[in-house]
Amino acid sequence: MESTRIAALLREGEAGDQVAVAGWVRTRRDSKQGFSFIELNDGSCMANLQIVVDADVPGYADVIGDVSTGASLRVAGELKESPGAKQRFELHAASLQLIGTADPETYPLQKKRHSFEFLREIAHLRSRTNTFGAIARVRNTVSRAIHDFFQSQGFLNIQTPIITTSDCEGAGEMFTVTTLLRESSVQNPVSGGGRDRTSLDTGHSTPDFANDFFGKRASLTVSGQLEAEIYATSLGPVYTFGPTFRAENSHTPRHLAEFWMVEPEVPFCDLEGDMQLAEQFIKSIVGVCLDECRDDMEFFNQRIEKTVLDTLHNILEHDFRHISYTEAMAIVTATDRDWEYPVTWGDNLQAEHERFLTEEHFRQPIIVFDYPRAIKPFYMYCNDDGKTVRAMDVLVPRVGEIIGGSQREHRLGQLDVRLEECGLDPAEYWWYRDLRRYGSVPHSGFGLGLERMLLLLTGMQNIRDVIPFPRTPNHAEF
RNA sequence: UCCCCUGUAGCUCAAUUGGUAGAGCGAGCGGCUGUUAACCGCUAGGUCGUAGGUUCGAGUCCUACCGGGGGAGCCA
């Protein structure tokens, strides 16, 4: 008999069905009177399936002792209404096949709750817990919802390069990609123990990238935006959705060295349209998750963060507040609160100010737009006031900045002014400038960090726990 | 990179002003039970992150290093 996923069985099964399931044991409770209860989980949903095994089931006495937490099982039998209060169905086993044991003396996962810090050290097993199973399912749903949202509106999915030689926007430290390193010239070439950083030993203080694989210095991408602009200004709305890399040495619950980013880019679109798109986009994802991941979302609301559902419904039911940077700064400086970092016009809004605005002052997502041009990158459209650019950040409660975007500077003359201001070499951006020389159009886009979206959706506090295998400084296990 | 907190049993944490290391959960064994965070009893399990130092005596105080967490910056 073919196995049925537990999610499908709980959704569509009926008492009397003959079914088989396969999964991993969460707990076992015995009655010496001659039967056992087994909680089986197969990852298809939050719920376990309760298995009832009578002692006269073939092989019972031989294997039941090894049916411990973490062991894998295949069970066939009849689905019955459960007299117990905590589940509708239970499976009365006719056959029981122990597939893989899990020594209780050494199996690290217990029935009790573990700290996320501990689970991070056993990332190869944490997906067997309720929390990480739920995160994986929600992450999957978000991923599909992202594609659905853009596909349904005619956006083209563009795969931008992961290896790049364009030093785009100079935003953030980049990881160098090189073949200049040879095993013989590397200290600690393999994963053996030592914590010394590998270092180039080319005989020169600076490696000669002209001799490198690509003939010039190459890096892992920090954004697909510039390449997305190429396709947006020829094929219409596009989006990228892929991994992004930042070699920043930042140690926070909101940063990863490797994360996933969604970046739409829309031609013939100004900042207003960009902000509308961002709002529709976020609401769409929130709505899909609430709709399709009810059990998982309920779990997050009960066990992880009791305000999650309220926050998400609040997002769906209200229009995002749009306020200019200048207004935001006025609000921040008008309060009589003692800021750790007092600011004036021209400064970046600090995290404490952003939190205040979205969590206390407006108590809902806000979009701050028209930032000072001195604190923003070269590619943003310059306003006529000469002081601001058409940039926007979407700030949400508990997470802070979840989206950053802008209308792009499509006027070649202005772009060159900004390249100059930012100390960048126009020759390096020759193809980017070409887009402004031939059929240039106003266009806009933004970037959304997938993991930050997941923080918002799940109520999890640490970004290392919403990606299966987090990469942060000193951490690239698994 | 800077600042703060922290490191004791498999896990989560205690240990009064420096005075011989404890609990709960988990695990093993036994008992009870249509059970479901099960319950009751017993047992095992720790060179207190590492290396120095102060002291008659250090889990406790000092220094360095390593690990974990948080805040800042940067950003998504």
Side-chain angles (χ1 to χ4, degrees):
Chain A
M1 195 190 305
E2 219 169 276
S3 299
T4 308
R5 301 300 300 278
I6 289 173
L9 204 146
L10 294 176
R11 199 169 53 234
E12 299 152 9
E14 290 177 17
D17 288 353
Q18 295 294 322
V19 297
V21 293
W24 293 266
V25 175
R26 284 292 172 77
T27 68
R28 186 190 95 225
R29 297 176 294 274
D30 295 327
S31 165
K32 279 292 189 299
Q33 306 306 315
F35 56 93
S36 299
F37 297 98
I38 300 168
E39 295 285 335
L40 199 72
N41 188 283
D42 70 356
S44 61
C45 58
M46 174 64 60
N48 302 323
L49 181 64
Q50 175 163 280
I51 315 279
V52 184
V53 194
D54 275 315
D56 55 11
V57 169
Y60 175 88
D62 297 332
V63 303
I64 197 67
D66 287 327
V67 177
S68 55
T69 303
S72 52
L73 279 188
R74 191 169 186 282
V75 186
E78 182 180 341
L79 202 61
K80 292 187 176 176
E81 302 273 352
S82 175
K86 303 218 170 177
Q87 60 277 322
R88 185 173 153 220
F89 289 126
E90 60 190 24
L91 181 61
H92 285 240
S95 73
L96 179 71
Q97 186 187 357
L98 179 62
I99 296 174
T101 59
D103 183 359
E105 296 265 21
T106 59
Y107 189 64
L109 293 177
Q110 305 171 3
K111 285 179 275 191
K112 60 175 263 188
R113 196 179 174 289
H114 293 284
S115 69
F116 292 131
E117 289 81 4
F118 171 68
L119 290 172
R120 240 169 262 152
E121 296 170 3
I122 50 168
H124 61 306
L125 294 173
R126 67 177 182 171
S127 49
R128 298 185 180 199
T129 64
N130 285 337
T131 302
F132 287 89
I135 291 166
R137 287 186 295 269
V138 170
R139 188 178 168 110
N140 172 71
T141 297
V142 170
S143 179
R144 210 198 63 241
I146 287 167
H147 284 293
D148 286 350
F149 175 82
F150 289 120
Q151 293 290 333
S152 69
Q153 299 194 27
F155 282 62
L156 223 52
N157 182 207
I158 302 296
Q159 286 77 39
T160 49
I162 289 171
I163 299 174
T164 176
T165 57
S166 53
D167 182 19
C168 19
E169 59 189 294
E173 295 288 314
M174 303 174 83
F175 288 102
T176 300
V177 176
T178 181
T179 54
L180 288 176
L181 290 162
R182 297 291 176 234
E183 289 297 298
S184 59
S185 65
V186 173
Q187 297 162 14
N188 298 309
V190 286
S191 58
R195 293 224 164 249
D196 296 351
R197 310 214 179 236
T198 55
S199 59
L200 281 171
D201 182 20
T202 58
H204 306 283
S205 53
T206 325
D208 184 4
F209 290 110
N211 294 325
D212 206 348
F213 188 89
F214 297 105
K216 60 202 285 197
R217 184 169 198 160
S219 309
L220 296 178
T221 183
V222 295
S223 164
Q225 178 199 318
L226 302 191
E227 288 91 349
E229 286 185 51
I230 294 174
Y231 274 74
T233 54
S234 47
L235 299 173
V238 301
Y239 70 104
T240 73
F241 183 10
T244 307
F245 308 88
R246 306 268 168 98
E248 293 287 350
N249 186 23
S250 49
H251 238 130
T252 87
R254 289 178 299 280
H255 291 83
L256 290 165
E258 175 183 299
F259 63 99
W260 286 66
M261 188 152 66
V262 185
E263 295 175 283
E265 195 67 35
V266 186
F268 311 106
C269 175
D270 62 11
L271 191 70
E272 275 305 316
D274 201 34
M275 292 191 282
Q276 278 177 32
L277 182 69
E279 179 168 348
Q280 290 167 6
F281 177 56
I282 287 176
K283 285 182 171 175
S284 167
I285 293 171
V286 168
V288 170
C289 286
L290 287 175
D291 195 41
E292 297 186 13
C293 301
R294 283 165 198 251
D295 290 351
D296 292 325
M297 297 304 293
E298 190 60 40
F299 172 84
F300 290 125
N301 198 54
Q302 282 178 10
R303 305 294 281 271
I304 302 295
E305 169 60 57
K306 61 185 189 310
T307 64
V308 162
L309 291 182
D310 282 348
T311 301
L312 296 178
H313 284 121
N314 183 262
I315 287 174
L316 287 183
E317 288 157 15
H318 297 91
D319 292 337
F320 291 8
R321 288 291 296 265
H322 296 209
I323 59 166
S324 71
Y325 164 90
T326 302
E327 294 171 292
M329 193 54 79
I331 293 170
V332 164
T333 51
T335 60
D336 51 4
R337 169 177 309 234
D338 283 335
W339 300 111
E340 190 174 351
Y341 294 90
V343 285
T344 56
W345 200 99
D347 295 330
N348 249 315
L349 286 170
Q350 304 289 313
E352 58 177 340
H353 308 128
E354 295 184 345
R355 273 200 304 274
F356 167 76
L357 288 169
T358 184
E359 291 173 2
E360 296 180 51
H361 190 80
F362 291 109
R363 294 174 178 274
Q364 67 170 95
I366 61 172
I367 305 181
V368 181
F369 63 95
D370 283 356
Y371 281 84
R373 75 195 254 174
I375 59 172
K376 288 294 181 184
F378 73 93
Y379 53 74
M380 295 182 175
Y381 184 95
C382 293
N383 283 313
D384 293 340
D385 62 11
K387 300 191 305 186
T388 59
V389 291
R390 302 241 78 192
M392 64 100 174
D393 284 353
V394 179
L395 310 178
V396 297
R398 214 184 54 244
V399 178
E401 181 178 348
I402 198 169
I403 277 180
S406 67
Q407 179 173 336
R408 319 306 187 190
E409 182 55 78
H410 71 284
R411 301 162 297 183
L412 184 60
Q414 273 294 331
L415 183 67
D416 285 343
V417 168
R418 288 292 288 149
L419 283 168
E420 165 98 33
E421 277 181 13
C422 295
L424 299 168
D425 179 6
E428 292 277 316
Y429 294 88
W430 64 274
W431 55 265
Y432 194 71
R433 293 177 70 250
D434 264 6
L435 301 181
R436 278 72 183 165
R437 294 173 68 196
Y438 309 117
S440 186
V441 296
H443 58 288
S444 302
F446 62 79
L448 171 130
L450 176 67
E451 286 74 20
R452 289 191 179 171
M453 186 71 206
L454 282 161
L455 292 179
L456 175 68
L457 288 164
T458 63
M460 296 291 289
Q461 294 191 337
N462 197 311
I463 202 164
R464 298 164 195 138
D465 297 325
V466 294
I467 188 168
F469 305 103
R471 270 79 180 99
T472 55
N474 274 318
H475 293 278
E477 285 299 313
F478 307 101

